[in-house]
Amino acid sequence: MDQTLKKTKPKSADSFFKETKSWKKEFEILRSIALGSKLTEEIKWGQPCYTLNGQNIFLLHGFKEYCAILFFKGALLKDPKKILIQQTGNVQSARQIRFQNSSEITKLQSTLKSYIKEAIQVETSGKKVVMKKTSEFEVPEEFLRHLESNPKLHTAFLSLTPGRQRGYLLHFSGAKRSETREERIKKQIPNILNGKGLNDSV
């Protein structure tokens, strides 16, 4: 068998929980709650993901300071306990519930089950998060100056798909310092002029 194929074969959920070193106890409790929902357990993006008829409902993931359950359509949940967190201002649909130890998860078991139940109901109802239009995204001042002084760039940017436009705007505005925003913009101008998106390799 090709060694490359061996290495790229996705790991199973069992392997993930067995091999993980961070948040092991917390993940075990969260998995137990998740499996009680009768959703399908898969590995997506390297994380345990729970799906209904192929649609993502939530996943479990861990960071340095916390582990979390992330609801893909969390913005549509009622959140009576006010525990859902929007990771950044640019995240429109997903919401997290974060934990720093296993006791926090244990205390919220019944709440988590009700949130999961509601998330399933949201998915089966066909509800969708209304995403912001590209025109509603902030255009960094530095990029505006380039667009105003370079008609070709302006035309090229407007010719990009809305998704590619949003990708660039989020990338540029994600830098806190003006100098960094300027560097990012200058680096991407050739790609914009060539009609490429931020993540287009060719």
Side-chain angles (χ1 to χ4, degrees):
M1 182 183 286
D2 182 20
Q3 292 300 311
T4 304
L5 292 177
K6 272 188 175 180
K7 291 179 181 177
T8 57
K9 183 181 178 181
K11 67 168 64 177
S12 66
D14 286 337
S15 296
F16 173 90
F17 289 103
K18 183 179 180 180
E19 296 170 11
T20 188
K21 293 180 172 60
S22 300
W23 309 105
K24 196 173 188 71
K25 185 176 181 181
E26 288 75 14
F27 276 144
E28 286 176 357
I29 301 173
L30 287 171
R31 186 191 197 191
S32 175
I33 296 171
L35 291 177
S37 67
K38 306 300 183 184
L39 293 173
T40 301
E41 184 180 62
E42 305 177 49
I43 292 293
K44 292 189 177 184
W45 308 284
Q47 306 297 318
C49 184
Y50 299 85
T51 65
L52 177 68
N53 299 324
Q55 298 300 310
N56 301 321
I57 306 298
F58 65 91
L59 61 72
L60 309 179
H61 57 173
F63 299 86
K64 184 178 180 180
E65 297 179 353
Y66 65 88
C67 64
I69 176 171
L70 180 140
F71 292 97
F72 287 91
K73 292 185 178 179
L76 296 179
L77 301 184
K78 295 173 183 176
D79 192 21
K81 299 288 186 180
K82 305 299 179 188
I83 53 178
L84 292 177
I85 295 173
Q86 184 178 9
Q87 285 173 276
T88 71
N90 294 326
V91 175
Q92 298 186 63
S93 182
R95 296 291 184 271
Q96 288 179 327
I97 302 177
R98 297 177 179 178
F99 307 98
Q100 294 181 313
N101 55 64
S102 58
S103 62
E104 290 179 349
I105 302 172
T106 302
K107 289 177 183 177
L108 279 176
Q109 278 202 63
S110 60
T111 298
L112 291 175
K113 289 176 182 178
S114 67
Y115 275 51
I116 291 172
K117 184 178 179 180
E118 186 187 357
I120 293 172
Q121 291 172 344
V122 164
E123 184 58 45
T124 55
S125 73
K127 291 181 182 178
K128 296 185 182 299
V129 176
V130 178
M131 300 294 191
K132 287 197 299 184
K133 297 178 182 177
T134 302
S135 58
E136 296 178 276
F137 280 80
E138 179 184 355
V139 180
E141 184 179 334
E142 296 82 0
F143 190 45
L144 271 176
R145 287 199 294 268
H146 281 279
L147 293 175
E148 290 169 355
S149 63
N150 188 338
K152 286 186 178 180
L153 177 64
H154 194 183
T155 300
F157 184 71
L158 292 178
S159 298
L160 295 174
T161 62
R164 284 173 171 162
Q165 290 179 18
R166 288 194 293 271
Y168 280 120
L169 294 179
L170 291 174
H171 178 60
F172 298 153
S173 61
K176 295 181 180 179
R177 297 172 64 246
S178 178
E179 294 86 349
T180 308
R181 288 193 292 272
E182 188 67 40
E183 289 174 6
R184 290 185 179 185
I185 291 165
K186 287 181 178 178
K187 183 178 179 181
Q188 296 300 332
I189 283 177
N191 289 327
I192 295 173
L193 290 172
N194 288 323
K196 296 179 182 178
L198 183 65
N199 298 313
D200 292 346
S201 58
V202 182

